[in-house]
Amino acid sequence: MIALLAPALAVLGPIWTFATSRFGLPLVVAGGVILAYEGLPIGPLRYIPYVGPALAILVDGRVDREYAAGQLAERLVWQEQQRKAIAQLAAKAETKQKEIDAAAQAYVDQQNTDAVRIADLEQAIRDQKDEDLGPQDHDNAAGACKPRGGIPARLSIGIDAVGR
């Protein structure tokens, strides 16, 4: 059995001797502390799908774990701010839509009111024309020269108020 371990002991013996020596022990301790904080650098192996994250879990140090936790915390804060901003925009859009709907309804109501007023004014114009075209004295030359068909001032003002 020792014969099988002889090649490994031949290589590891001097390393063990140095690691337990006066100069080697502080180096081993310092290396262990650095390895615990920094981890093993795996470089681009970290980006290999499935293998990279599993390898990173094994060899990452405290610094990398804290960095990943900070990234996650910042991402969650940013997503919450995005949700709040979207909710504010939706509320603002809803308020604007309600204002637009109210203005459109007011416009439709005004159109309905104007249609009734226009119909009343047009009827008044027809009635006025009928009065002007009433029985006339055809024998009287002065009656034949009377101006007819003019719109009275009160109807003209009413029509102008409606916009026609």
Side-chain angles (χ1 to χ4, degrees):
M1 174 101 150
I2 292 190
L4 294 174
L5 295 177
L9 290 175
V11 174
L12 294 176
I15 294 173
W16 181 257
T17 304
F18 175 74
T20 57
S21 71
R22 182 174 177 212
F23 296 108
L25 186 60
L27 288 176
V28 170
V29 170
V33 169
I34 290 172
L35 185 64
Y37 274 95
E38 296 295 329
L40 290 176
I42 58 173
L45 295 177
R46 184 179 305 274
Y47 303 115
I48 297 174
Y50 303 112
V51 175
L55 188 58
I57 289 172
L58 294 175
V59 298
D60 276 350
R62 182 174 186 267
V63 173
D64 292 328
R65 287 190 301 271
E66 291 298 321
Y67 181 78
Q71 276 185 327
L72 178 63
E74 286 297 318
R75 186 178 309 115
L76 292 175
V77 167
W78 182 81
Q79 287 173 347
E80 183 62 28
Q81 289 175 348
Q82 285 295 105
R83 279 193 290 273
K84 286 180 182 178
I86 289 170
Q88 285 177 346
L89 287 176
K92 193 180 290 185
E94 185 177 341
T95 303
K96 291 289 185 183
Q97 187 61 44
K98 286 180 181 177
E99 290 175 7
I100 290 169
D101 291 344
Q105 186 61 41
Y107 178 75
V108 168
D109 293 343
Q110 184 64 35
Q111 287 292 333
N112 292 338
T113 304
D114 287 348
V116 171
R117 289 178 58 199
I118 289 170
D120 291 342
L121 291 172
E122 287 175 349
Q123 184 60 40
I125 291 171
R126 283 192 292 274
D127 293 344
Q128 183 67 32
K129 285 183 181 178
D130 289 343
E131 286 178 11
D132 288 346
L133 296 177
Q136 295 184 4
D137 188 10
H138 294 288
D139 294 337
N140 185 354
C145 293
K146 269 203 253 178
R148 296 183 190 152
I151 298 176
R154 64 182 175 84
L155 287 177
S156 177
I157 292 171
I159 290 173
D160 286 341
V162 173
R164 274 182 80 167

